């Protein structure tokens, strides 16, 4: 057995797992963080994307032991206590997801991009999300949503204005 | 060198099969706080059908979509529905929900008539109120009417209905008849760039014009069309199940069964052609499956426009296109007199 201690969504958590345990298995089966999805389990689909020290990785391709001592962010840790992350908010409002299975991975890949590049071009976004497969949406609304979220995160006032535009006539 | 071409393809697609029974049933309950609850047996798979069905109930009852709570796909409690299949949900289930809501509304009108001292036929449901047609200031809130119906009249405002596109058997001799209740239409145009030295195709832009009747939720219609186009692009250029001699699939995973990624997707322009189908709920038909029908044909026509070769088997891989280009060139050389 291997002892692993990682900081998941801000909390320090430890487990003793067989050495072949992947980070994905640790998150889902041991820590019960099932927001991270098991898709192909061989690194093709990106549904299991999480951030490790801020970098987007396929949790199915990383051993739990390799994450020892590192910071892991999963979809459960993306929202603040009282409000959604701007990416989640825009994804929800714009119908960017359909069945939603790719959503957790898509959102975390997008977060890694925006943390690194707050003003990405459409091609930058497509490039950053190329490892996250989506069978429903054709990616159009996802790419637009990331652009909208980037705009909102660069200038919080823009987000307020957009909110007014969207909800001002209710 | 890279050559550009444009191709166009049209399609129609049937909505609401009629060769067999194809029913949907629904229950709509108006609550004393002015909200409504819809029970439907259909299932949401991400396309947004429950949103659309809630909008249909809200429109029929004169309340907001947010006032409607949709309970779906629990076979213990929800009424029978043929299923989220055949692009039928908005059309068939939507009609059942509209009728169920109308039945609940009839009880509200019968209750509100004496309250407003008019005949029920003179009433309409709008802005969360039951009001006299032409005199919107004479009104009473739907919640209040619902409560009066329950505790005053003893008739809770609950409506149930089922809708089945009229079943018409095929002629056993000719196999002909009226197999579907209605049809949707679409045209898509693809612009591609083909490298005539490698056969590689880049889809640059797809413009998709779709008639789905009344688009009850245009954002969701766009989502369906964009998603369908990505499937159509995979069908046209990438996706193929390969089998060995024993019939086992040799590419059963995403490493070698290649589907479009975000980088494979072109600019997509969705053009919703508004139409009204009198047999659909508020004029709506459907949009799911039809969205990908013309995509591959438009792309293959665009490839022909770009490099002059007809590819007749899918997917149109670079190998197939390059082989066709070489064959075409060899044919052209032969025709040159020696």
């Amino acid at each position: 057995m291997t002892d692993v201690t990682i900081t998941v969504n801000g909390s320090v958590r430890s487990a003793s797992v067989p050495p072949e345990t992947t980070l994905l298995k640790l998150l889902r089966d041991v820590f019960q963080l099932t927001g991270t999805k098991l898709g192909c389990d061989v690194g093709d689909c990106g549904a299991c994307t999480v951030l490790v020290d801020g970098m987007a990785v396929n949790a199915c391709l990383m051993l739990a032991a390799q994450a020892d001592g590192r910071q892991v962010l999963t979809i459960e840790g993306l929202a603040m206590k009282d409000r959604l992350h701007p990416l989640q908010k825009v994804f929800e409002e714009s119908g960017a997801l359909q069945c939603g299975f790719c959503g957790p991975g898509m959102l975390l890949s997008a977060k890694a991009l925006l943390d690194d590049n707050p003003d990405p071009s459409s091609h930058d976004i497509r490039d950053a999300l190329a490892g996250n497969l989506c069978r429903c949406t054709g990616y159009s609304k996802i790419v637009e949503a990331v652009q909208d979220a980037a705009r909102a995160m660069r200038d919080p006032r823009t987000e307020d204005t957009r909110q007014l535009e969207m909800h001002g006539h209710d | 060198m890279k050559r550009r071409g444009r191709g166009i393809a049209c399609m129609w697609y049937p909505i609401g099969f009629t060769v067999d029974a194809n029913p949907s049933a629904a229950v709509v309950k108006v609550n004393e706080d002015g909200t409504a609850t819809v029970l439907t047996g259909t299932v949401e798979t991400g396309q947004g059908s429950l949103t659309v069905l809630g909008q249909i109930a809200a429109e029929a009852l004169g309340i907001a979509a947010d006032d409607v709570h949709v309970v779906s796909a629990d076979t213990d409690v929800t009424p029978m529905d043929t299923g989220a299949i055949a692009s039928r949900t908005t059309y068939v289930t939507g009609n059942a929900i509209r009728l169920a809501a109308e039945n609940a509304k009839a009880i509200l009108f019968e209750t509100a008539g004496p309250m407003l001292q008019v005949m029920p036929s003179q009433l309409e449901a709008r802005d969360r109120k039951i009001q006299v047609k032409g005199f919107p200031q004479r009104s009473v809130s739907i919640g209040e009417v619902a409560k009066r119906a329950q505790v005053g009249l003893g008739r809770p405002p609950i409506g149930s209905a089922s809708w089945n596109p009229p079943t018409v058997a095929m002629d056993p001799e000719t196999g002909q008849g009226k197999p579907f209740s209605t049809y949707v239409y679409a045209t898509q145009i693809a612009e591609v760039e083909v490298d005539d030295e490698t056969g590689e195709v880049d889809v640059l832009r797809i413009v998709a014009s779709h008639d789905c009747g009344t688009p009850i939720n245009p954002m969701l219609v766009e989502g369906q069309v964009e998603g369908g186009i990505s499937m159509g692009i995979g069908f046209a250029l990438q996706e193929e199940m390969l089998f060995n001699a024993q019939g086992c699939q040799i590419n059963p995973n995403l490493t070698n069964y290649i589907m479009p990624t975000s980088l494979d997707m072109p600019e997509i322009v969705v053009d919703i052609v508004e139409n009204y189908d009198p047999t659909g709920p508020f004029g709506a038909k459907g949009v799911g499956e039809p969205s990908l029908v013309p995509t591959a044909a438009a792309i293959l026509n665009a490839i022909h426009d770009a490099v002059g070769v007809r590819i007749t088997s899918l997917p149109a891989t670079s190998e197939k296109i390059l082989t066709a280009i070489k064959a075409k060139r060899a044919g052209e050389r032969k025709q040159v007199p020696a």
Side-chain angles (χ1 to χ4, degrees):
Chain A
M1 300 294 267
T2 307
D3 292 329
V4 182
T5 300
I6 59 177
T7 307
V8 190
N9 304 330
S11 325
V12 179
R13 302 186 70 167
S14 301
S16 188
V17 292
E20 70 275 17
T21 306
T22 62
L23 175 60
L24 177 60
K25 216 169 156 47
L26 175 73
L27 291 170
R28 284 182 60 86
D29 298 351
V30 183
F31 295 156
Q32 306 296 322
L33 293 169
T34 52
T36 305
K37 297 302 173 202
L38 166 63
C40 66
D41 215 14
V42 292
D44 284 327
C45 74
C48 65
T49 304
V50 297
L51 302 192
V52 178
D53 289 341
M55 266 179 50
V57 302
N58 286 322
C60 72
L61 293 184
M62 187 175 209
L63 292 173
Q66 290 174 298
D68 187 40
R70 302 170 81 171
Q71 301 267 345
V72 176
L73 181 74
T74 72
I75 192 67
E76 288 89 348
L78 189 58
M80 308 291 132
K81 211 167 215 167
D82 55 343
R83 66 191 158 93
L84 294 174
H85 187 275
L87 277 163
Q88 290 170 306
K89 205 168 158 54
V90 179
F91 267 55
E92 185 186 23
E93 285 165 359
S94 60
L97 298 175
Q98 290 183 28
C99 87
F101 196 83
C102 70
M106 213 46 106
L107 284 159
L108 288 167
S109 286
K111 181 184 186 325
L113 170 70
L114 297 188
D115 287 347
D116 187 48
N117 175 3
D119 188 11
S121 68
S122 166
H123 186 269
D124 293 337
I125 297 169
R126 288 177 185 278
D127 197 42
L129 302 181
N132 295 84
L133 297 181
C134 171
R135 194 75 267 199
C136 304
T137 65
Y139 308 98
S140 302
K141 294 206 186 302
I142 292 175
V143 173
E144 286 165 23
V146 176
Q147 272 170 328
D148 287 351
R151 208 171 296 126
M153 287 163 73
R154 284 198 303 276
D155 180 4
R157 276 174 312 162
T158 320
E159 192 184 9
D160 294 342
T161 316
R162 200 172 52 78
Q163 288 294 306
L164 265 178
E165 279 165 9
M166 293 189 75
H167 301 296
H169 307 297
D170 271 1
Chain B
M1 82 184 261
K2 290 193 173 181
R3 296 178 183 277
R4 281 200 183 192
R6 283 181 180 168
I8 185 165
C10 307
M11 70 105 216
W12 55 259
Y13 196 89
I15 304 282
F17 63 81
T18 55
V19 289
D20 277 311
N22 182 15
S24 286
V27 175
V28 173
K29 175 169 85 84
V30 181
N31 306 308
E32 54 273 41
D33 61 355
T35 64
T37 308
V38 174
L39 303 186
T40 170
T42 196
V43 67
E44 166 72 59
T45 58
Q47 73 278 51
S49 56
L50 298 190
T51 302
V52 167
L53 296 174
Q55 286 181 272
I56 289 170
E59 183 74 16
L61 292 169
I63 57 178
D66 283 350
D67 298 335
V68 180
H69 176 54
V70 182
V71 177
S72 78
D74 179 342
T75 49
D76 276 352
V77 298
T78 55
M80 186 270 170
D81 190 284
T82 300
I85 54 155
S87 302
R88 66 183 286 290
T89 303
T90 298
Y91 184 69
V92 184
T93 311
N95 264 332
I97 287 172
R98 187 184 61 82
L99 290 172
E102 295 290 345
N103 289 341
K105 191 165 68 174
I107 298 173
L108 294 175
F109 283 1
E110 281 169 41
T111 310
M115 294 168 84
L116 294 165
Q117 296 173 332
V118 292
M119 300 290 286
S121 60
Q122 289 171 279
L123 293 169
E124 62 184 359
R126 286 182 73 171
D127 305 328
R128 297 174 169 143
K129 290 177 295 207
I130 306 294
Q131 62 192 35
V132 180
K133 281 180 200 164
F135 300 94
Q137 68 278 20
R138 289 178 64 192
S139 69
V140 54
S141 79
I142 283 182
E144 211 173 309
V145 178
K147 194 170 177 195
R148 174 72 67 89
Q150 291 175 8
V151 301
L153 266 68
R155 284 189 71 194
I158 297 174
S160 69
S162 58
W163 197 72
N164 178 58
T167 307
V168 191
M170 294 288 104
D171 185 314
E173 297 271 318
T174 63
Q176 294 190 333
K178 183 182 182 294
F180 295 95
S181 189
T182 189
Y183 296 85
V184 297
Y185 307 90
T187 296
Q188 292 184 5
I189 303 171
E191 185 170 5
V192 305
E193 202 166 64
V194 185
D195 187 325
D196 67 1
E197 288 164 26
T198 64
E200 195 182 357
V201 178
D202 231 345
V203 182
L204 304 173
R205 195 156 71 114
I206 292 194
V207 180
S209 253
H210 283 254
D211 152 35
C212 55
T214 304
I216 286 175
N217 188 317
M219 183 178 84
L220 295 176
V221 170
E222 283 173 18
Q224 290 292 285
V225 174
E226 290 159 355
I229 286 171
S230 76
M231 298 174 203
I233 288 173
F235 183 46
L237 300 173
Q238 299 173 315
E239 296 180 39
E240 186 172 25
M241 286 199 189
L242 300 167
F243 297 92
N244 67 14
Q246 284 73 43
C248 295
Q249 192 185 351
I250 58 175
N251 60 344
N253 54 60
L254 295 162
T255 310
N256 42 24
Y257 179 93
I258 305 298
M259 59 165 274
T261 71
S262 49
L263 285 171
D264 296 311
M265 288 303 293
E267 178 197 350
I268 295 174
V269 180
V270 181
D271 169 37
I272 301 171
V273 181
E274 282 225 25
N275 201 347
Y276 186 91
D277 187 308
T279 67
F282 301 107
K285 297 190 280 189
V287 72
E289 296 157 298
S291 56
L292 75 106
V293 173
T295 311
I299 291 172
L300 286 241
N301 284 339
I303 292 170
H304 179 260
D305 186 44
V307 290
V309 299
R310 274 278 167 222
I311 307 299
T312 54
S313 77
L314 295 178
T317 57
S318 304
E319 290 88 336
K320 285 183 198 170
I321 295 169
L322 189 61
T323 306
I325 291 172
K326 283 179 176 165
K328 180 171 175 275
R329 284 183 186 152
E332 284 164 355
R333 272 198 298 274
K334 270 185 203 154
Q335 284 164 16
V336 178

